[in-house]
Amino acid sequence: MELFDNLFLGLQVAVEPQNLLYCLFGVLIGTAIGVLPGIGPIPTVALLLPFTFGLEPSTAFIMLAGIFYGAQYGGSTTAILVNVPGETSSVVTCIDGHQMAKQGRAGHALALAAISSFFAGTVATVVIALLALPLAALALKFTAVEYFSLLVLGLIAAVVLAHGSVAKALAMIVLGLILGIVGIDVSSGASRMTFGIPNLADGLDFVPIAMGLFGLGEIIANLERPAERRIVAQKVGSLMPGLPDLRRAFPAMLRGTAIGSFLGVLPGGGAALPPFTAYALEKKFAKDPSRFGHGAIEGVAGPEAANNAGAQTSFIPLLTLGIPSNALMALMIGALMMHGIQPGPQIMTEQPQLVWGLIASMWTGNLMLLVINLPMIGIWISMLKIPYRLMFPAIVLFCCIGAYGISNSMFNVWLMLGCAAIGYFFIKVGVEPAPLLLGLVLGPQLEENFRRAMLLADGDVTVFVTSPISATILAVVALLLVAMFSPKVARKREEALAE
């Protein structure tokens, strides 16, 4: 009964007029940035964080979550019509979706992508609701020892699944951890790496760093990319796929939803893993794998279901454990802290309206996306023609206003601009900044839990291996580290990420 009571509470929060409006606003922005190649949900959420200050926490999170899963919908539009993925998660959709468009079946491909995403989103919402209470109850039994080990696992898993060099990803984690401890030490009162600058006494503000690294840095890099995009189908034709198409697509939707729901929970899973895995599985299950790459329905339905399910179930570790499973969830943790909410399992009991309102809003948001997206295909096609050079000045202006508004300080504006230059440099040298963000967000929690564990154990570091749960988690960490530096595993990892 408790589950139904919580879902009823969440539905009451989700259908409040203000929350419905911001949910609609979030999914529309998410679709738009998904349609525009190169402007993903991470930069968008980073840029919009300062503008959520005046909102209720539940309203702000409903909007930010809508941006995330809305982008999964929008990315498929660009992938199918232009053969350019608007989102990393839509890379696989290009393979068969674009071929369907070239065959005059763009409408069917877009409709199947939307239906698959809605189906997966609905199932993933149920999965979150079912797992939230048991996982939160388990997490409440964790002490600082287990939390420290769990945080280490989250950071190492992010390194394993990051693109590029393992050494570079580890360096980004370490840099993020170092930046996270800048400021006055709460325990001793000593200043750490402030260099006599008063603005650094409270530490580096998370929001301008995220806005610079992920927002402005990405958009500056996009200015160098070709602006011309050839659209295959200006008119998409009939949107309703036939019964044979739906019959072939439904098993792929089920498998994609199951894969996405599982992989979305894993720390460091990212956006690309669920759809790539779903596509590979569909080829394995197909009686005639040669159809894939030539407009196979299953090649659209499976990955689209997987990416939407993965996007939503990635909220499970955040809501139950306070652990981000990817860079965007790290931004969400930063948003929680901005609103004065400490991430962790206590959120379930202390902020039930926020948690269950967010869960229920995922269903209403997915319904909105299904209803509004397909009739608005013409608008999304028109947006593809907007060049980045026209959007860039407006984005910079809004970024500067948002960064200044955090604490009415020009220091945050300069910090954001400096991080934008660093973010652009990272892109040019092929370094992924997501591990840095995870390190920055989790660093203070890692330090706090380590200190608590040492106090509980009177300074005995063996407590981390004498606790069964902690020892198991650290054993997994050790296996991951060994695997990462194994030449054979490293080679296979590079081949998989390159593919």
Side-chain angles (χ1 to χ4, degrees), residues 236-319:
V236 296
S238 170
L239 289 172
M240 193 58 204
L243 195 59
D245 283 347
L246 289 172
R247 197 177 289 124
R248 285 204 307 273
F250 186 66
M253 289 184 208
L254 287 174
R255 288 189 287 265
T257 302
I259 289 165
S261 298
F262 173 70
L263 293 178
V265 179
L266 298 180
L273 191 59
F276 271 98
T277 308
Y279 190 79
L281 189 68
E282 290 311 311
K283 287 186 77 173
K284 292 279 186 187
F285 272 93
K287 292 179 181 177
D288 180 15
S290 63
R291 293 188 302 108
F292 285 79
H294 299 92
I297 292 287
E298 303 93 319
V300 175
E304 283 299 311
N307 72 41
N308 204 270
Q312 290 185 208
T313 56
S314 63
F315 280 88
I316 292 174
L318 171 69
L319 296 175

Side-chain angles (χ1 to χ4, degrees), residues 32-160:
I33 59 101
V35 166
L36 294 169
I39 307 179
I42 295 177
T44 306
V45 169
L47 299 179
L48 288 178
L49 279 177
F51 299 97
T52 65
F53 277 135
L55 300 176
E56 288 291 320
S58 55
T59 305
F61 273 81
I62 285 170
M63 183 189 75
L64 294 176
I67 292 170
F68 185 28
Y69 56 80
Q72 316 306 315
Y73 274 76
S76 63
T77 302
T78 317
I80 291 165
L81 297 179
V82 194
N83 201 29
V84 176
E87 256 301 285
T88 310
S89 58
S90 300
V91 170
V92 191
T93 308
C94 291
I95 302 170
D96 284 285
H98 188 63
Q99 288 299 319
M100 288 180 69
K102 288 170 78 172
Q103 295 163 14
R105 295 191 295 155
H108 291 176
L110 290 165
L112 277 168
I115 293 167
S116 301
S117 295
F118 175 72
F119 175 80
T122 302
V123 174
T125 303
V126 175
V127 171
I128 295 171
L130 290 173
L131 291 181
L133 287 173
L135 283 175
L138 174 66
L140 286 170
K141 297 177 182 177
F142 277 30
T143 66
V145 175
E146 288 80 15
Y147 259 111
F148 173 81
S149 301
L150 192 64
L151 289 164
V152 172
L153 175 62
L155 291 172
I156 297 301
V159 172
V160 173

Side-chain angles (χ1 to χ4, degrees), residues 22 48 69 103-104 114 163 185 239 288 299 324 333 358 375 404 459 487 490:
Y22 276 95
L48 288 178
Y69 56 80
Q103 295 163 14
H163 288 270
D185 179 17
L239 289 172
D288 180 15
I333 282 190
L358 176 61
Y404 181 80

Side-chain angles (χ1 to χ4, degrees), residues 358-446:
L358 176 61
I359 291 170
S361 76
M362 290 179 181
W363 188 81
T364 59
N366 275 285
L367 185 61
M368 286 176 184
L369 283 165
L370 184 66
V371 172
I372 65 176
N373 254 9
L374 295 177
M376 294 177 69
I377 288 293
I379 295 173
W380 307 134
I381 290 173
S382 300
M383 285 187 62
L384 289 169
K385 300 172 184 175
I386 302 173
Y388 285 120
R389 57 186 172 79
L390 297 182
M391 294 188 287
F392 182 69
I395 291 171
V396 173
L397 175 63
F398 280 115
C399 286
C400 290
I401 293 170
Y404 181 80
I406 294 166
S407 57
N408 294 330
S409 167
M410 278 301 295
F411 178 81
N412 281 335
V413 178
W414 292 116
L415 177 62
M416 178 193 69
L417 295 174
C419 288
I422 294 168
Y424 175 70
F425 171 74
F426 284 162
I427 291 168
K428 298 302 286 184
V429 297
V431 175
E432 193 175 347
L436 185 152
L437 190 65
L438 287 170
L440 177 66
V441 171
L442 296 182
Q445 294 182 53
L446 197 73

Side-chain angles (χ1 to χ4, degrees), residues 2 52 60 176 180 196 219 225 241 243 261-262 289 291 304 321 328 346 393 406 419 452 465 484:
E2 187 182 1
T52 65
I219 291 161
R225 293 167 189 160
L243 195 59
S261 298
F262 173 70
R291 293 188 302 108
E304 283 299 311
L321 302 171
L328 195 135
Q346 71 278 1
I406 294 166
C419 288
R452 283 182 183 173
V465 291
M484 274 195 296

